[in-house]
Amino acid sequence: MRARAFRDRTSRVRASPDRASRVRAFRGRASPVRASRVRAVAAAGAVATVAAGLAVRAGTDGAFAKYAGSALYTVLLCALAVLCAPRARPVVAASAALALSWTVEFAQLTGVPAELSAHSTAARLVLGSTFNAPDLFWYAVGAAAAWSVHAGARRPR
């Protein structure tokens, strides 16, 4: 099979790229090496977020600790979303994290998370137990913070 040729701006004849490489270039997909780097950074971000949450809980109490924990919960979900889908755009990862945070918060209205939390510390940490409307705002703050860090990290230098 003959490779098709085309002329570039300097009038040199080059072999045309194969269809797969054109599709990858069009979609803007990163190489597997870049995806693994993104995953490594996302994993480090998730660990740092958990450490920040534990530090806030240990160092402060009251409303600040509660709402900082709510924002960090969404930041953690965003880091986990990027860990699972390293090519996700920042707005998609942050939106998914925010949607999941809100879903968990609204699920607390059903009483199911409270029942699960009574039997498991892990369920209490992940699902919470009681609905708190201000948490919805702080989840959005966390999503916005995660989006800004993710978008800033993806900017070409």
Side-chain angles (χ1 to χ4, degrees), residues 103-114:
T103 300
V104 168
E105 190 69 28
F106 283 116
Q108 292 170 357
L109 292 170
T110 66
V112 173

Side-chain angles (χ1 to χ4, degrees), residues 15-108:
S16 64
D18 62 321
R19 185 180 188 310
S21 65
R22 286 185 309 215
V23 169
R24 273 193 306 276
F26 177 74
R27 290 184 184 162
R29 289 206 172 166
S31 69
V33 173
R34 184 176 183 280
S36 64
R37 285 184 190 145
V38 170
R39 281 193 172 105
V41 171
V47 170
T49 302
V50 170
L54 293 173
V56 166
R57 281 291 193 186
T60 63
D61 59 352
F64 176 79
K66 178 173 180 16
Y67 296 129
S70 295
L72 288 170
Y73 179 80
T74 304
V75 171
L76 176 62
L77 290 177
C78 189
L80 294 175
V82 173
L83 187 65
C84 293
R87 294 180 179 112
R89 292 179 302 163
V91 70
V92 173
S95 297
L98 180 60
L100 185 57
S101 297
W102 282 352
T103 300
V104 168
E105 190 69 28
F106 283 116
Q108 292 170 357

Side-chain angles (χ1 to χ4, degrees), residues 12 15 50 61 64 66 80 112 115 117 132 135 137-138:
R12 287 181 288 180
V50 170
D61 59 352
F64 176 79
K66 178 173 180 16
L80 294 175
V112 173
E115 180 64 31
S117 295
N132 185 23
D135 283 347
F137 169 74
W138 291 104

